[in-house]
C-alpha cells in the first residue's frame, strides 16, 4: 500500500516535470528493504542495492535496523507480511533481492535495465540505463520463471543454483553470545517468590519495598477468607469409587465421565482457606445468591478499545452475562467477553461490608507493619476500607499506570491467573517516557525510546495462593491469562509513610484524606498503648502498697506482636506529624497560608490539611508523652519530660541555595540573620520572610514605575530584540527595580514561572522547562502539556542543580534571559527573567557610551536628569530608569 501511494506521488511529480532527488531515492530503497518478506531477504536486498549503486549511507541505515519487518508493520497498524511460501529464503536469495529492487526502482519512476537481472548488476546501471516498460515486464516474467524452475526441482535446492548464487546465499555469521534482535533486548526480570514461613521474610519484604522491587508472597492461607462463601472443592466420584486408582485421563480414555461433586459451603473455613489448592472452584450460583443484588462497577470496551464505557449493574447480571457456570467451564459461547468488573470497593457497600470485611487473615511474622488504614473510617471499623474485587474473562487487561497516594498494593487471584508487567516507580516517566513507550515485545522501539532498554521491568503470572506485593508507585499493567476473580487491597504502614506524606503535600490523591488517616491512627494507637502502660503502672502500685519488691526483668517487659506494631507505628507517625507541623509553620510564614486556607495542589488546585501548626505540634507532644510513659511504665516515678520547639535556622530547616547571593568580591553572604516578614505580593502572600542579605538588599531598591502603555512597551520590545550578552538592563523585581547584566539568552524557550514551596515571593522566578522535573518517581522532565498553573514540580536550581519544590504559576514560550541582578549593598544574584520584567535597556551603543554604575546606593548617585520631561513624567521622574529608555 505504501509503494502504491509512493508510485502515485512519483507519477504526479513527473507530470510536473520534476524528478525525485537522490535522497528520496535512498529513502525509497530503504523502505523496500524494510518490506522484504524476512530479515534474511532484507540483508540480501541491501547487498544488491549496494552492488547496484547504493552507498555507505544505505549500508549504515540497514546495519542499524534490528527490528523484524512484521514488528515494524504492527507499530504502523499494518497487517503482517504473508509468509514466504514460494521458496525458503536461502534457496533463492537473488530472486528476493532483485524483486525488491524492481519495486524500488519502479517507485523511483525509472524502468530497470535487463542487465540488472544478473547476480551482480553493474554500479549505477539501474539509474543510468533506463529501458522501456516492456523490458521491465520481461524482467518480472524472467524472475517468475526462475521461481517456477526452482520449484520444479522439488528439493534440488542449492544444487540447482549456480555456484555464484550459492556463495551469495550464505547467511552472515553473527556472534551468538548476545541477543541482537531489538524486540529481545528488553530484560524482563523474574519476580522473587518469598514464603511467608521464611524466618527472614520480614527483612526480605521490607528491603524490597524500600527499594521499590515487587515480590510475590507464597504459603499464606486465609488472605481472602471471605471467598470461602463462594469457593467449593471439586472431587471425582469415579475416583472415589475406584479407591483412587487410575488417573482421570485413563478413565476418560475408557469412556467414563468424571462427575464433579461440590462440597458444602460450610466445609471451608475462611481463616484456613488455601487458594493454592487446585481442586478449589468458584461456585457462581453461590456468589450470585450471596451478594448478587449489589451493584458493581463494570467497564465495557468501546469499538476501538480506546474509550471504555463505565457503569454499574447488579452483580448477578454481570455473572450471568460474563462468567460461565460450573457446567460451562471451558465453553465461552454466549458470554460477553468485553465486560469487566473493575475495582469494586466492597467495604463501602452496606451489605458487603458485613459479609466480606474482617475476613482477611494478616500476614505472619510481622511481614507487614500496623495497617494504619484500618483506623480511618468508622463505617469500616478496624479494617482497611481500600479493598477491591476485579473479575473478568481472559485477555481482560488494564493499561500501564501507577496509583498515586503512596500506598503499597497487593493482588491475589481467588480463581484464574493474572499476568502482571511491572515497572520500577523511578522508571515510568524516565525510561518509559511518561508511559509513551510500549513494553509489548512486539512493539518495542529502541530508536524512538532508547532508555527503554534500561528500564527495570518485571513480568510474572500470579496464581491462586500467591500474593503479588507492589511497593508504592510501581507502574503496572495486568492481563487475565484465564477467567480471573482477584482480590486487591492497599496497605499503609511505617515503611511507606514517607511516600504517603509526600502524596499529601503533592495533593495527588485528595480523596484519601491523608491528614484524617494520620490523625485517627495516632489517636487509636495511643489508646492501645496507654492501656498497656496502665497495666504496668498498676502492677508497680500494687507491689508498693503491699511492701513488696517488684522486680521486672526483660521477659516481663516483652509485649505481644500487636503492641509492638503499635509502638513502631507511633514512633514513625510522630516524625510524620512533626513534618506536617513544620510545613504548616513554613507555609504560614512564607506564603501567608493559614490553617483554614487551601494548600496548592497540581490537579484540583487545592488540598487542605485540617488543623494548624499548633494543633499538629500538640499531637507530636501527645505522642512523645505517650511513648515516654510506656517507656517507664514499670518505674515508681516517671521522669519528667520537657518539650522544645526548634528555633532559628532549625525552625524551618531550609536549604540555602535559593537565598545564597554574592557580594561584588565574589564571596558568599550569610543566609540566615534572624526572622522578619514585611511586604506582600498582590495575592497577599509575603514577598520577604527571612532577614537575609538578599532580602535586605531588596528593601533598599528603588520603587518600580507604573505599568507602561502599549506604545512604550512596543518601543522597548524593539530595543530588547537587539540585546546581546553583556548588555545592561533594568529589571522589575516584584514592586521594585534593579539593574542587571545579560548572561544568557534563549529564544523561543518554553518556561514556567515557579513559586517555590518553602520560600517567599522574592524568590519566585522563571525556569526553562528543561530544568523542571516531575515530583513522581524518576525525576523525569515534565511534559509540556502538563505544565499548567497549579502543577507541583521540582526545579533544578544553581550550578549543582539542587532540587526545590514549587508550583507553576504560569507558562510561556518566548524570550528567556538569565541575568545577574545587582541589589543594593553590593549583593548580586543570578535569576531567569522574561522580557515582560524588563523596564529599560541601556548600553546599546557598545564601545561609544560608558555604562553607568548602578550598583551604588541612591545617596551616592549623581542625578543627571532626563532630556524628555514627558518621559520623566511617565516613569515618575525616575532618572535612573530614564537612562535605560
Amino acid at each position: 500500500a505504501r509503494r502504491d501511494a509512493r508510485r502515485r506521488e512519483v507519477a504526479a511529480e513527473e507530470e510536473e516535470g520534476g524528478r525525485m532527488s537522490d535522497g528520496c531515492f535512498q529513502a525509497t530503497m530503504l523502505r523496500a528493504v524494510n518490506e522484504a518478506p524476512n530479515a534474511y531477504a532484507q540483508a540480501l536486498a541491501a547487498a544488491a542495492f549496494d552492488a547496484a549503486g547504493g552507498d555507505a549511507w544505505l549500508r549504515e541505515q540497514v546495519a542499524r535496523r534490528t527490528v523484524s519487518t512484521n514488528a515494524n508493520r504492527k507499530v504502523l497498524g499494518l497487517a503482517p507480511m504473508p509468509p514466504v511460501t514460494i521458496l525458503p529464503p536461502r534457496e533463492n536469495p537473488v530472486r528476493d533481492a532483485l524483486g525488491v529492487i524492481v519495486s524500488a526502482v519502479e517507485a523511483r519512476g525509472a524502468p530497470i535495465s535487463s542487465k540488472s537481472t544478473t547476480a551482480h548488476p553493474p554500479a549505477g546501471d539501474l539509474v543510468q540505463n533506463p529501458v522501456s516498460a516492456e523490458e521491465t515486464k520481461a524482467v518480472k516474467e524472467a524472475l517468475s520463471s526462475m521461481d517456477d524452475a526452482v520449484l520444479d526441482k522439488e528439493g534440488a535446492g542449492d544444487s540447482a543454483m549456480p555456484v555464484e548464487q550459492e556463495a551469495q546465499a550464505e547467511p552472515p555469521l553473527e556472534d551468538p553470545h548476545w541477543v541482537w534482535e531489538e524486540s529481545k533486548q528488553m530484560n524482563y526480570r523474574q519476580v522473587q517468590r518469598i514464603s511467608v514461613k521464611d524466618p527472614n521474610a520480614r527483612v526480605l519484604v521490607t528491603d524490597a519495598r524500600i527499594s521499590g522491587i515487587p515480590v510475590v508472597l507464597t504459603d499464606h492461607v486465609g488472605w481472602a477468607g471471605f471467598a470461602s462463601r463462594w469457593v467449593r472443592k471439586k472431587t471425582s466420584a469415579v475416583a472415589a469409587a475406584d479407591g483412587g486408582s487410575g488417573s482421570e485421563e485413563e478413565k476418560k480414555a475408557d469412556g467414563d465421565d468424571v462427575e464433579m461433586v461440590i462440597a458444602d459451603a460450610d466445609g471451608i473455613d475462611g481463616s484456613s482457606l488455601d487458594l493454592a489448592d487446585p481442586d478449589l472452584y468458584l461456585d457462581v450460583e453461590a456468589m450470585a445468591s450471596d451478594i448478587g443484588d449489589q451493584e458493581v462497577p463494570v467497564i465495557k470496551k468501546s469499538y476501538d478499545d480506546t474509550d471504555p464505557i463505565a457503569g454499574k449493574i447488579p452483580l448477578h447480571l454481570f455473572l450471568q452475562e460474563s462468567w460461565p457456570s460450573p457446567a460451562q467451564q471451558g465453553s465461552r459461547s454466549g458470554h460477553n467477553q468485553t465486560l469487566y468488573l473493575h475495582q469494586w470497593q466492597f467495604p463501602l457497600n452496606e451489605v458487603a461490608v458485613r459479609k466480606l470485611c474482617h475476613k482477611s487473615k494478616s500476614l505472619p511474622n510481622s511481614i507487614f507493619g500496623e495497617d494504619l488504614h484500618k483506623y480511618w473510617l468508622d463505617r469500616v471499623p478496624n479494617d482497611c476500607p481500600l479493598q477491591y474485587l476485579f473479575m473478568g474473562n481472559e485477555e481482560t487487561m488494564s493499561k500501564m499506570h501507577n496509583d498515586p497516594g503512596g500506598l503499597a498494593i497487593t493482588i491475589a487471584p481467588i480463581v484464574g491467573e493474572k499476568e502482571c508487567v511491572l515497572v520500577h516507580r523511578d522508571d515510568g516517566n524516565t525510561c518509559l517516557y511518561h508511559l509513551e513507550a510500549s513494553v509489548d515485545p512486539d512493539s518495542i522501539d529502541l530508536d524512538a525510546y532508547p532508555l527503554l532498554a534500561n528500564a527495570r521491568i518485571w513480568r510474572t503470572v500470579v496464581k491462586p495462593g500467591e500474593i503479588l506485593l507492589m511497593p508504592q508507585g510501581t507502574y503496572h499493567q495486568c492481563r487475565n491469562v484465564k477467567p480471573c476473580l482477584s482480590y486487591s487491597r492497599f496497605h499503609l504502614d511505617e515503611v511507606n509513610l514517607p511516600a504517603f506524606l509526600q502524596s499529601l503535600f503533592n495533593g495527588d490523591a485528595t480523596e484519601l484524606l491523608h491528614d484524617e488517616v494520620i490523625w485517627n491512627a495516632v489517636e487509636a494507637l495511643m489508646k492501645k498503648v496507654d492501656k498497656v502502660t496502665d497495666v504496668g503502672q498498676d502492677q508497680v502500685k500494687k507491689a508498693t502498697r503491699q511492701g513488696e519488691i517488684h522486680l521486672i526483668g526483660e521477659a516481663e517487659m516483652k509485649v505481644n506482636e500487636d503492641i509492638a506494631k503499635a509502638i513502631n507505628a507511633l514512633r514513625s507517625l510522630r516524625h510524620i506529624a512533626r513534618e506536617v507541623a513544620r510545613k504548616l509553620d513554613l507555609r504560614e510564614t512564607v506564603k501567608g497560608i493559614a490553617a483554614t486556607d487551601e494548600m496548592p495542589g497540581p490537579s484540583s488546585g487545592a488540598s487542605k490539611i485540617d488543623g494548624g501548626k499548633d494543633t499538629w505540634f500538640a499531637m507530636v507532644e501527645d505522642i512523645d508523652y505517650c511513648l515516654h510513659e510506656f517507656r517507664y511504665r514499670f518505674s515508681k516515678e516517671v521522669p519528667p519530660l520537657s518539650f522544645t520547639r526548634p528555633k532559628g535556622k532549625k525552625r524551618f530547616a531550609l536549604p540555602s541555595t535559593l537565598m545564597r547571593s554574592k557580594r561584588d568580591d565574589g564571596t558568599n553572604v550569610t543566609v540566615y540573620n534572624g526572622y522578619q516578614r514585611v511586604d506582600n505580593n498582590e495575592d497577599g502572600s509575603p514577598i520577604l520572610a527571612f532577614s537575609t542579605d538578599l532580602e535586605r538588599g531588596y528593601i533598599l531598591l528603588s520603587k518600580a514605575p507604573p505599568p507602561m502603555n502599549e506604545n512604550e512597551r512596543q518601543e522597548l520590545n524593539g530595543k530588547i530584540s537587539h540585546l546581546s550578552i553583556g548588555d545592561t538592563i533594568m529589571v522589575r523585581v516584584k514592586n521594585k527595580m534593579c539593574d542587571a547584566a545579560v548572561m544568557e539568552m534563549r529564544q523561543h524557550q518554553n518556561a514556567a514561572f515557579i513559586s517555590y514551596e518553602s520560600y517567599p515571593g522574592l524568590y519566585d522566578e522563571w525556569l526553562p522547562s528543561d530544568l523542571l522535573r516531575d515530583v513522581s518517581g524518576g525525576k523525569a522532565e515534565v511534559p509540556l502539556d502538563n505544565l499548567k498553573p497549579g502543577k507541583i514540580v521540582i526545579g533544578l536550581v544553581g550550578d549543582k542543580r539542587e532540587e526545590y519544590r514549587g508550583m507553576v504559576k504560569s507558562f510561556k514560550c518566548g524570550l528567556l534571559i538569565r541575568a545577574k541582578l545587582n541589589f543594593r549593598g553590593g549583593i548580586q544574584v543570578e535569576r531567569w527573567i522574561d522580557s515582560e520584567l524588563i523596564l529599560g535597556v541601556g548600553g546599546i551603543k557598545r564601545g561609544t557610551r560608558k555604562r553607568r554604575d548602578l550598583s551604588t546606593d541612591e545617596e551616592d548617585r549623581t542625578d543627571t536628569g532626563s532630556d524628555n520631561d514627558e518621559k520623566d513624567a511617565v516613569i515618575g521622574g525616575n532618572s535612573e530608569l530614564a537612562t535605560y529608555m
Side-chain angles (χ1 to χ4, degrees):
R2 285 183 289 164
R3 283 202 301 269
D4 292 339
R6 191 57 194 159
R7 288 192 187 100
R8 290 192 294 270
E9 294 175 6
V10 171
E13 290 178 1
E14 289 186 343
E15 287 177 2
E16 297 174 1
R19 295 188 62 84
M20 295 170 60
S21 65
D22 290 343
C24 191
F25 180 46
Q26 291 172 339
T28 302
M29 291 193 296
L30 182 58
R31 282 200 301 273
V33 172
N34 291 338
E35 292 180 358
N38 50 58
Y40 187 71
Q42 284 181 346
L44 290 171
F49 278 139
D50 187 46
D55 55 14
W57 172 86
L58 177 64
R59 290 196 300 273
E60 179 184 357
Q61 294 298 313
V62 174
R64 292 174 61 187
R65 300 295 297 186
T66 55
V67 181
S68 67
T69 302
N70 284 345
N72 285 335
R73 295 181 69 85
K74 183 174 182 180
V75 173
L76 295 171
L78 301 176
M81 292 288 291
V84 180
T85 56
I86 298 177
L87 290 172
R90 296 193 182 189
E91 289 185 348
N92 197 0
V94 179
R95 184 262 169 228
D96 289 338
L98 295 180
V100 176
I101 293 176
V102 171
S103 300
V105 177
E106 287 185 343
R108 184 178 185 272
I112 67 171
S113 169
S114 57
K115 298 178 183 179
S116 63
T117 57
T118 61
H120 300 284
D125 184 65
L126 298 178
V127 181
Q128 298 172 3
N129 299 303
V131 295
S132 64
E134 288 75 12
E135 289 183 285
T136 302
K137 181 178 179 181
V139 171
K140 289 187 176 181
E141 292 176 353
L143 294 176
S144 178
S145 299
M146 181 190 299
D147 296 339
D148 297 336
V150 179
L151 281 174
D152 290 340
K153 300 295 183 180
E154 290 189 351
D158 296 337
S159 63
M161 294 193 302
V163 176
E164 194 175 43
Q165 293 187 20
E166 183 177 358
Q168 187 175 347
E170 280 295 324
L173 183 63
E174 67 176 30
D175 192 317
H177 296 91
W178 282 270
V179 177
W180 300 104
E181 292 185 26
E182 188 167 284
S183 61
K184 296 181 180 179
Q185 291 186 32
M186 293 299 304
N187 180 20
Y188 291 97
R189 310 177 186 212
Q190 295 295 319
V191 179
Q192 182 184 9
R193 259 67 179 173
I194 301 176
S195 172
V196 297
K197 299 177 182 178
D198 188 332
N200 296 320
R202 179 174 180 273
V203 175
L204 294 174
V205 172
T206 301
D207 288 347
R209 292 177 62 192
I210 294 174
S211 303
I213 300 174
V215 297
V216 171
L217 305 176
T218 62
D219 301 324
H220 183 53
V221 298
W223 180 250
F226 57 82
S228 62
R229 305 173 67 88
W230 324 311
V231 169
R232 305 292 184 263
K233 188 160 186 173
K234 302 182 293 186
T235 58
S236 173
V238 175
D242 253 18
S245 63
S247 67
E248 290 191 0
E249 288 76 6
E250 293 171 344
K251 296 181 178 67
K252 289 180 179 178
D254 292 338
D256 294 333
D257 292 330
V258 180
E259 181 183 353
M260 306 306 295
V261 179
I262 308 301
D264 185 75
D266 296 331
I268 302 177
D269 179 18
S271 62
S272 60
L273 177 61
D274 185 4
L275 294 174
D277 187 344
D279 290 330
L280 292 185
Y281 181 87
L282 178 64
D283 186 345
V284 179
E285 294 181 358
M287 188 177 188
S289 176
D290 187 27
I291 54 174
D293 293 336
Q294 308 309 307
E295 286 194 340
V296 295
V298 296
I299 290 179
K300 183 175 182 180
K301 294 181 181 178
S302 61
Y303 179 76
D304 60 0
D305 274 358
T306 60
D307 186 20
I309 302 172
K312 287 188 175 184
I313 62 173
L315 177 60
H316 71 82
L317 184 58
F318 169 81
L319 296 173
Q320 177 183 336
E321 291 290 327
S322 302
W323 196 269
S325 65
Q328 296 171 319
Q329 289 290 337
S331 173
R332 301 172 57 200
S333 59
H335 288 278
N336 189 334
Q337 301 304 313
T338 63
L339 212 55
Y340 179 37
L341 191 156
H342 178 74
Q343 202 168 352
W344 180 34
Q345 191 175 2
F346 60 82
L348 301 186
N349 182 283
E350 293 183 0
V351 173
V353 68
R354 297 194 303 268
K355 297 184 176 182
L356 308 184
C357 286
H358 305 96
K359 299 292 193 306
S360 180
K361 188 177 180 180
S362 301
L363 296 174
N365 301 322
S366 298
I367 293 176
F368 277 171
E370 183 76 2
D371 186 357
L372 301 179
H373 266 134
K374 68 182 184 181
Y375 305 111
W376 179 16
L377 298 181
D378 292 337
R379 63 187 301 178
V380 195
N382 217 32
D383 200 3
C384 176
L386 303 179
Q387 303 180 66
Y388 306 90
L389 287 180
F390 295 79
M391 194 173 189
N393 275 289
E394 61 265 35
E395 300 308 320
T396 301
M397 67 178 297
S398 60
K399 293 183 178 181
M400 183 67 71
H401 68 285
N402 74 339
D403 294 281
L407 304 177
I409 304 175
T410 61
I411 297 177
I414 296 173
V415 295
E417 298 178 2
K418 189 180 290 286
E419 180 191 63
C420 299
V421 178
L422 314 164
V423 179
H424 194 276
R425 59 192 175 210
D426 291 340
D427 295 347
N429 286 339
T430 52
C431 298
L432 267 64
Y433 297 84
H434 295 275
L435 306 185
E436 289 294 326
S438 172
V439 296
D440 184 349
D442 294 332
S443 303
I444 290 173
D445 188 345
L446 297 182
D447 286 328
Y449 310 106
L451 292 182
L452 187 58
N454 303 107
R456 288 162 287 183
I457 303 179
W458 296 264
R459 183 166 59 184
T460 189
V461 175
V462 190
K463 302 178 180 180
E466 297 180 329
I467 305 171
L468 172 64
L469 170 59
M470 297 184 293
Q472 75 275 0
T474 301
Y475 292 86
H476 55 282
Q477 71 178 28
C478 302
R479 178 180 65 89
N480 289 349
V481 179
K482 298 178 180 179
C484 184
L485 167 64
S486 63
Y487 167 54
S488 177
R489 67 182 292 160
F490 291 77
H491 184 76
L492 174 65
D493 60 16
E494 58 267 24
V495 174
N496 56 321
L497 258 178
F500 185 73
L501 177 66
Q502 198 61 60
S503 174
L504 167 64
F505 295 147
N506 291 346
D508 57 18
T510 55
E511 69 279 2
L512 290 179
L513 301 180
H514 302 69
D515 50 352
E516 186 175 300
V517 171
I518 295 171
W519 191 273
N520 291 354
V522 167
E523 285 193 341
L525 292 173
M526 284 197 302
K527 290 179 180 178
K528 185 182 294 186
V529 173
D530 284 343
K531 290 181 179 180
V532 178
T533 300
D534 292 342
V535 171
Q537 283 288 293
D538 289 343
Q539 293 179 7
V540 173
K541 292 177 181 179
K542 181 178 180 181
T544 302
R545 286 195 302 269
Q546 297 176 356
E548 300 174 356
I549 299 176
H550 189 57
L551 300 178
I552 302 295
E554 184 176 346
E556 287 77 12
M557 290 187 177
K558 189 173 182 179
V559 297
N560 59 34
E561 181 180 349
D562 185 49
I563 298 301
K565 285 185 175 182
I567 294 296
N568 292 334
L570 266 181
R571 297 181 72 179
S572 297
L573 285 167
R574 185 263 180 206
H575 306 315
I576 297 299
R578 176 63 185 87
E579 177 63 9
V580 174
R582 186 190 75 88
K583 282 281 189 180
L584 290 174
D585 189 12
L586 184 61
R587 290 176 191 273
E588 184 175 341
T589 299
V590 303
K591 299 299 182 185
I593 301 176
T596 57
D597 293 339
E598 294 183 335
M599 184 179 66
S603 55
S604 64
S607 61
K608 295 182 64 175
I609 299 180
D610 287 341
K613 61 181 181 180
D614 292 334
T615 303
W616 286 85
F617 273 122
M619 176 190 288
V620 174
E621 295 173 354
D622 286 346
I623 297 174
D624 286 343
Y625 194 75
C626 173
L627 294 176
H628 183 75
E629 287 190 321
F630 174 83
R631 177 183 179 183
Y632 296 105
R633 66 188 183 280
F634 291 114
S635 298
K636 289 185 178 180
E637 293 185 4
V638 176
L641 176 65
S642 60
F643 302 101
T644 58
R645 296 186 182 182
K647 298 180 180 180
K649 293 176 60 175
K650 292 184 178 180
R651 176 180 177 185
F652 300 122
L654 294 177
S656 59
T657 298
L658 277 179
M659 294 184 288
R660 186 177 294 129
S661 53
K662 291 186 176 182
R663 298 190 187 278
D664 290 339
D665 57 6
T667 58
N668 290 332
V669 287
T670 306
V671 175
Y672 288 94
N673 286 317
Y675 164 79
Q676 89 176 32
R677 173 182 171 181
V678 295
D679 219 343
N680 288 335
N681 289 301
E682 294 179 358
D683 60 1
S685 61
I687 293 179
L688 308 176
F690 311 105
S691 183
T692 64
D693 284 356
L694 181 65
E695 296 187 10
R696 289 200 298 271
Y698 168 83
I699 295 175
L700 296 176
L701 292 175
S702 301
K703 186 177 180 180
M708 300 180 188
N709 59 42
E710 186 175 350
N711 293 333
E712 291 171 337
R713 174 52 66 179
Q714 288 181 355
E715 179 184 352
L716 181 58
N717 288 341
K719 295 182 179 181
I720 292 175
S721 64
H722 293 88
L723 280 175
S724 62
I725 306 302
D727 283 342
T728 306
I729 55 178
M730 182 65 71
V731 177
R732 177 186 295 274
V733 182
K734 293 304 178 180
N735 54 15
K736 300 198 176 187
M737 62 180 181
C738 73
D739 66 289
V742 177
M743 303 177 64
E744 181 181 351
M745 300 177 65
R746 296 187 184 182
Q747 300 287 346
H748 310 295
Q749 173 67 53
N750 292 305
F753 190 66
I754 305 299
S755 176
Y756 293 107
E757 183 180 70
S758 301
Y759 296 85
L762 178 61
Y763 303 91
D764 296 351
E765 66 175 332
W766 286 94
L767 278 184
S769 59
D770 57 305
L771 295 182
L772 300 176
R773 297 293 181 267
D774 202 302
V775 293
S776 59
K779 304 298 187 296
E781 287 190 26
V782 183
L784 297 181
D785 292 343
N786 292 347
L787 286 176
K788 300 176 181 178
K791 172 72 175 177
I792 300 296
V793 297
I794 292 175
L796 303 182
V797 179
D799 295 336
K800 296 182 179 180
R801 296 295 187 258
E802 296 184 20
E803 298 180 355
Y804 289 81
R805 287 167 52 90
M807 186 179 70
V808 175
K809 304 290 284 187
S810 60
F811 179 79
K812 64 167 287 184
C813 179
L815 174 64
L816 199 66
I817 298 174
R818 185 165 66 93
K820 181 178 291 186
L821 280 61
N822 296 311
F823 284 27
R824 296 295 169 261
I827 302 299
Q828 297 177 332
V829 61
E830 294 181 9
R831 186 76 56 87
W832 287 97
I833 63 174
D834 76 332
S835 58
E836 296 298 322
L837 295 177
I838 298 178
L839 299 176
V841 176
I844 292 297
K845 298 179 181 179
R846 301 172 193 82
T848 62
R849 170 183 168 187
K850 183 178 179 180
R851 293 190 184 90
R852 297 180 53 201
D853 182 8
L854 301 178
S855 62
T856 57
D857 291 338
E858 290 187 19
E859 297 79 18
D860 300 330
R861 186 183 304 118
T862 301
D863 189 353
T864 60
S866 170
D867 295 333
N868 190 324
D869 296 335
E870 183 179 355
K871 182 175 292 186
D872 280 347
V874 172
I875 62 175
N878 193 318
S879 59
E880 177 182 357
L881 182 58
T883 307
Y884 287 80
M885 301 302 287

